[in-house]
Amino acid sequence: MTEHAEGTFKVEDWQEEDYDSLGDGRRLTRASVKQAISGDIEGRGSVEWLMCYRPDKTADFVGLQHVEGTIGDRSGSFVLRTSGSFDGEVAKGELTVVPGSGTGELDGIDGRGEFRAPLGSEAYVSLDYDLG
């Protein structure tokens, strides 16, 4: 049966570095981020983002996010594959649970969702998931 969870991700640490310059303000960066997660999903997150910035400071990004904590009354961890875009004010995108990444009571988790993160604010996330 598919369940629905909503919550927020608060950034606790953001370490971003360029790894390639494409000229004229275009660049590729890598960010290592630590998060506190609250709501229907409680716990901690760590994510690695790869971003491609354009001269207007907008960007596209992809990442893998390791989530450790609880969903409902089940605890464990899982990995989310993320992709999205940043328009200079809001980052938004899609989430997919990486198959086979669930541990503990979250073993077998499957799901999809979305997130929205206004600049300098908490990220809002929703996830439709199935625990088999």
Side-chain angles (χ1 to χ4, degrees), residues 44-86:
R44 309 206 65 69
S46 60
V47 61
E48 293 292 320
W49 297 108
L50 295 176
M51 295 168 282
C52 178
Y53 285 95
R54 294 174 279 273
D56 64 0
K57 299 190 183 342
T58 62
D60 283 357
F61 56 87
V62 296
L64 291 173
Q65 180 176 18
H66 181 218
V67 176
E68 295 179 275
T70 60
I71 299 179
D73 60 353
R74 295 187 184 204
S75 63
S77 70
F78 58 95
V79 175
L80 293 168
R81 179 177 51 239
T82 59
S83 65
S85 62
F86 176 63

Side-chain angles (χ1 to χ4, degrees), residues 15-29:
Q15 300 294 321
E16 184 174 354
E17 294 184 16
D18 289 6
Y19 69 88
D20 203 353
S21 174
L22 307 174
D24 297 327
R26 293 170 182 86
R27 61 193 177 108
L28 299 175
T29 70

Side-chain angles (χ1 to χ4, degrees), residues 2-9 37-42 70-72 78 95 109 111-115 124-131:
T2 300
E3 302 283 339
H4 180 75
E6 294 184 6
T8 59
F9 287 50
I37 305 167
S38 60
D40 298 331
I41 304 170
E42 288 281 337
T70 60
I71 299 179
F78 58 95
L95 311 165
I109 189 171
R112 300 181 84 73
E114 59 188 18
F115 65 94
Y124 302 92
V125 63
S126 68
L127 181 67
D128 292 322
Y129 66 96
D130 188 345
L131 288 165

Side-chain angles (χ1 to χ4, degrees), residues 100-119:
S101 68
T103 68
E105 295 173 315
L106 300 176
D107 185 29
I109 189 171
D110 183 38
R112 300 181 84 73
E114 59 188 18
F115 65 94
R116 185 176 192 283
L119 188 61

